[in-house]
Amino acid sequence: MGRSVLLEDQAQKRIHSLIEKGTWEFGLLIGHLTARRDYVACLIPTPQDENESDGGKIAVDDKWAIEHAKQVMRMLPGGLTVVGVYVVAAPDAARAFQAQLRQLVFNTCRACDRAYELKVGCEMTEEKISDRIVLQICSSTRKNTCRTLDISDQKSTARPAELKIQSFLSKWHRLFCSFYVDNQSIALEKDVLKGNVGALYGNLRQRLESLSNSLFLFDGERKSSDDLIEKSGHHKGKGTEKKEHEVNFFLPQTFTETSFKSVEASFLVHLQGSIHGCAYVHNKATIGEAVQALREDLTRSLLARCQLLVEDVRDGGTRLAGGRHGFPRRIFAPLCQGFLSACDYAFRDESDKF
């Protein structure tokens, strides 16, 4: 028996609207992966390159699709990721696209996994889920074909998956926190000016390792990681369920003078500011899974902001010319009829319009 995939009802309505248009579309499936089942919350179309064909043939540039997927990953809160790809097309066009579709699944999903990954134990689950979803919709017959591919094995074969349509987003839980960073004096080596963000990431490793090993309070209380979040969210005597939860992290003090080392630097930057974390989990998640989703969000957000700072230097910006500077701001906007949110980043001298 293959994996079970739940598709949000609103996403199914979008599929119907795509079929009515009569044109092909390729894009990303955004959702949540678990050991028990996978959730597809929404569909994000990959913009067509100006050089792509306008005819009935599906034309997707691999590099363009990968870059778009990485940008989408930067905008997602914790608990959400690119769980696969979809394509809506006529039968002939879909058949001609099969070989490239398979390669796009591997390339885009692997790129998303690597984009904001820093191996400090902040993975979403202890056992990494490597299956990704391939959803094909025939615009002629309106038939959905759902399969999964193991992206850890280039030779893996597609396996059938059971697709179910449900309305589940209203039952999900939202977590939030604030995470303050004010102890990183970063020595930026000259190669950072060429766009190499690795030197900056290396200095963040200790901070993020502390986050992965931190204690936490869940809604102001010490909770077991094995407790169900749904059980924890019930108000005593009221019969109502709380859908938003605040998490406070307490990091161990592990920073010592032995952490310093001499490096060749172009300039120094003191990373300082508060990161507002946000994550979403399904209603059957444990508190441990929920907290890990929030840790994942903080890791992704911190690395994304550092990447933006390095890109600004690479492109000739002056925001890191000297002195002390705040992180790019995180701006949230509603997603999936407001049940979820996505984000973008802006420097202080940039507009906060999403």
Side-chain angles (χ1 to χ4, degrees), residues 77-78 169-177 218-219 229 241-247 276-283 290-291 293-294 297 330 332-333 338-342:
L169 286 180
S170 60
K171 301 176 184 178
W172 280 23
H173 293 258
R174 177 180 178 269
L175 297 97
F176 61 93
C177 73
F218 191 88
D219 286 333
I229 190 172
E241 187 179 349
K242 184 177 180 181
K243 295 296 184 182
E244 292 198 354
H245 309 274
E246 182 178 9
V247 177
H276 297 285
C278 175
Y280 295 89
V281 292
H282 59 93
N283 58 315
V291 171
L294 199 53
D297 179 72
R330 194 178 192 185
F332 289 95
F339 288 117
L340 305 176
S341 61

Side-chain angles (χ1 to χ4, degrees), residues 27-78:
L28 307 172
L29 299 174
I30 306 303
H32 183 71
L33 299 170
T34 74
R36 296 177 294 275
R37 62 180 60 88
D38 301 329
Y39 299 84
V40 177
C42 62
L43 284 64
I44 304 294
T46 299
Q48 291 190 33
D49 192 346
E50 295 178 355
N51 298 323
E52 290 177 355
S53 171
D54 293 329
K57 182 181 178 181
I58 305 174
V60 180
D61 181 77
D62 286 44
K63 292 183 179 179
W64 179 273
I66 291 171
E67 183 59 32
H68 173 251
K70 290 163 64 176
Q71 291 180 12
V72 169
M73 275 294 294
R74 187 169 70 187
M75 301 174 70
L76 296 178

Side-chain angles (χ1 to χ4, degrees), residues 153-179:
D153 181 7
Q154 189 72 35
K155 297 181 180 180
S156 66
T157 57
R159 297 185 297 273
E162 183 183 11
L163 183 67
K164 299 180 181 179
I165 312 300
Q166 289 188 11
S167 180
F168 55 79
L169 286 180
S170 60
K171 301 176 184 178
W172 280 23
H173 293 258
R174 177 180 178 269
L175 297 97
F176 61 93
C177 73
S178 291
F179 183 70

Side-chain angles (χ1 to χ4, degrees), residues 57 62 72 120 178 189 196 200 242 246 250 301 350-351:
K57 182 181 178 181
D62 286 44
V72 169
V120 293
S178 291
E189 300 180 13
N196 182 6
L200 194 60
K242 184 177 180 181
E246 182 178 9
F250 298 89
S301 180
E350 295 178 330
S351 172

